[in-house]
Amino acid sequence: DILGGIVGLVLTGVLTIFVAPLIMIESPGPIFFSQIRIGKNGRRFKIYKFRSVYMDAEERKKELMEQNKMSGLMFKMDDDPRITKVGKFIRKTSIDELPQFWNILKGDMSVVGPRPERAVFVEQFEKEIENYEYRFEVKAGLTSLSHVYGRYSTYIHDRTYYDLFYITHYSLLLDLKIILLTTKTMFLKSAAEGED
């Protein structure tokens, strides 16, 4: 994780030189987006991403709820107008997630592990999904088994299955496989879509 965090931050620094101006030109405002997520043992921490939406995205979300394709508290729609053109590209390639290498170097996250969720979703999923709480036995990850074999739109029960499988079958070899598969998806058109 330390080695991955250092190498990842160097890569993020180089990409920031190109990504930051594009973000600010299309939508003036902060380059980075931060949000509180739940990590190992239920600890809260602030996760970082490159900003991929317009500054008024949260306000506009209320107007678009009728087009929501997800149930419960989650929100997803086709051609979400809140996402900038630059945002669509960095989400499709997962570049928006790279600032999380800072979280890895800080010890909040690991390179591989279950993706961290917002507290409001954790409360909901713990009530609905058996053994969901076991996801917090390990550090949250920048990438995960559910990230490469599923997608953000994958049914939450299926994503939880992948996460629990990873925890119970953990090995360095499995971590390396997930990292290689993640790198591959970043260069494919079918790369994972970003999280709201």
Side-chain angles (χ1 to χ4, degrees):
D1 284 342
I2 294 173
L3 178 61
I6 293 172
V7 173
L9 277 180
V10 171
L11 174 62
T12 303
V14 172
L15 285 174
T16 299
I17 297 173
F18 302 97
V19 174
L22 296 176
I23 292 174
M24 290 189 294
I25 289 172
E26 186 174 8
S27 174
I31 299 167
F32 300 105
F33 166 82
S34 65
Q35 192 176 65
I36 299 298
R37 299 289 176 97
I38 307 299
K40 185 178 180 181
N41 298 323
R43 189 176 72 84
R44 295 170 182 253
F45 69 95
K46 187 177 289 187
I47 198 174
Y48 297 95
K49 294 184 178 188
F50 283 119
R51 182 169 61 87
S52 60
V53 296
Y54 291 101
M55 293 298 295
D56 62 349
E58 197 59 33
E59 290 76 14
R60 296 175 68 185
K61 179 179 177 180
K62 300 174 184 176
E63 304 170 5
L64 301 168
M65 286 305 294
E66 290 184 1
Q67 300 177 58
N68 186 13
K69 296 172 63 178
M70 305 293 283
S71 60
L73 299 171
M74 303 185 80
F75 180 87
K76 183 176 178 62
M77 63 173 286
D78 295 326
D79 298 318
D80 191 335
R82 302 173 306 147
I83 304 174
T84 63
K85 293 178 182 178
V86 174
K88 289 178 181 178
F89 173 75
I90 62 177
R91 285 187 177 202
K92 187 174 182 181
T93 56
S94 295
I95 289 174
D96 65 319
E97 308 281 1
L98 294 183
Q100 288 161 46
F101 279 112
W102 174 240
N103 289 114
I104 293 171
L105 203 57
K106 286 173 59 185
D108 297 326
M109 295 172 59
S110 184
V111 174
V112 181
R115 288 294 295 158
E117 293 279 10
R118 293 166 57 184
V120 64
F121 293 146
V122 171
E123 292 174 6
Q124 175 187 344
F125 298 152
E126 283 184 332
K127 297 175 183 176
E128 299 176 354
I129 304 173
E130 186 178 2
N131 297 323
Y132 183 82
E133 66 275 8
Y134 286 113
R135 295 175 79 257
F136 306 107
E137 294 292 318
V138 299
K139 285 184 180 181
L142 175 62
T143 188
S144 65
L145 194 64
S146 63
H147 189 73
V148 295
Y149 284 114
R151 290 293 181 265
Y152 179 62
S153 57
T154 301
Y155 193 45
I156 182 60
H157 289 74
D158 295 331
R159 285 196 282 138
T160 301
Y161 166 79
Y162 285 122
D163 290 335
L164 297 182
F165 181 92
Y166 167 77
I167 293 170
T168 55
H169 295 79
Y170 167 78
S171 71
L172 182 59
L173 186 61
L174 179 58
D175 272 6
L176 293 174
K177 181 179 180 180
I178 292 171
I179 291 170
L180 289 174
L181 287 171
T182 300
T183 304
K184 181 180 178 181
T185 63
M186 289 179 69
F187 296 99
L188 295 177
K189 290 182 179 180
S190 59
E193 295 178 353
E195 296 169 64
D196 287 324

